[in-house]
């Protein structure tokens, strides 16, 4: 296997009743290994000033680019790969315009393995433009989701 590039762009909007449309999932909170690595899961977006929790939003934009390589010494084994990535995204409120300067970005490296018990993914991310109050999580682990 030679190097492989994957690029993903996800958007989402909730209708006035809170139902996901345009390919979105309900809640529209994000951050973490499934969206913008380097930030805690479901931590991006508008933050409640009392409890410091992300309250989600009605719109989101996520972009991921990943360059995957065969693991050195792995021969023809395709179950173990290492990768580099760049992620970007943000959640926005209903009355808010999508502004790229509000998006959070990260870059990093990782390892993926299609193990006998299911797919595993480990990544290390460096947030590129974290703001005060952002909840960071540089090492992240995912189990059971295809990649």
């Amino acid at each position: 296997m030679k190097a492989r590039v994957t690029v993903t762009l996800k958007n989402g909007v909730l209708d006035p009743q809170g139902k996901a449309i345009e390919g979105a999932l309900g809640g529209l909170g994000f951050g973490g290994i499934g969206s913008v690595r380097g930030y805690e899961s479901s931590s991006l977006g508008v933050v409640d000033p009392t409890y410091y929790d992300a309250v989600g939003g009605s719109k989101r934009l996520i972009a991921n680019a990943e360059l995957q390589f065969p693991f050195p010494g792995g021969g023809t084994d395709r179950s173990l790969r290492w990768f580099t990535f760049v992620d970007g995204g943000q959640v926005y409120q209903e009355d808010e315009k999508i502004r790229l300067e509000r998006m959070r970005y990260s870059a990093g490296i990782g390892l993926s393995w299609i193990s006998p018990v299911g797919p595993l993914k480990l990544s290390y991310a460096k947030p590129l433009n974290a703001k005060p109050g952002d909840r960071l999580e540089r090492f992240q682990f995912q189990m059971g989701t295809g990649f």
Side-chain angles (χ1 to χ4, degrees):
M1 177 179 117
K2 296 182 180 183
R4 180 172 70 181
V5 176
T6 62
V7 178
T8 307
L9 180 63
K10 301 175 192 173
N11 70 337
V13 178
L14 293 178
D15 72 13
Q17 285 77 39
K19 295 180 183 172
I21 57 176
E22 295 185 30
L25 298 175
L28 294 189
F30 75 99
I33 201 165
S35 58
V36 183
R37 291 166 275 202
Y39 296 88
E40 281 187 17
S41 181
S42 300
S43 69
L44 294 179
V46 175
V47 175
D48 178 312
T50 305
Y51 300 103
Y52 302 104
D53 290 330
V55 295
S58 61
K59 299 182 278 192
R60 72 175 179 185
L61 181 62
I62 305 168
N64 311 98
E66 197 168 280
L67 181 58
Q68 302 172 350
F69 301 94
F71 199 76
T76 60
D77 181 9
R78 295 180 180 202
S79 66
L80 187 60
R81 299 178 292 223
W82 71 278
F83 57 88
T84 60
F85 64 87
V86 176
D87 294 338
Q90 188 55 279
V91 174
Y92 301 90
Q93 297 300 306
E94 184 177 348
D95 58 348
E96 205 177 358
K97 290 183 180 180
I98 292 179
R99 298 183 188 275
L100 297 182
E101 65 269 12
R102 282 209 48 239
M103 290 179 64
R104 297 295 191 273
Y105 300 95
S106 66
I109 60 172
L111 182 68
S112 65
W113 178 39
I114 302 173
S115 78
V117 296
L120 307 172
K121 195 172 207 177
L122 176 69
S123 66
Y124 174 79
K126 168 126 177 63
L128 301 176
N129 66 334
K131 305 288 187 232
D134 284 350
R135 296 189 332 228
L136 308 181
E137 188 174 69
R138 294 177 191 267
F139 285 102
Q140 294 175 323
F141 176 75
Q142 181 180 36
M143 187 168 102
T145 301
F147 45 85

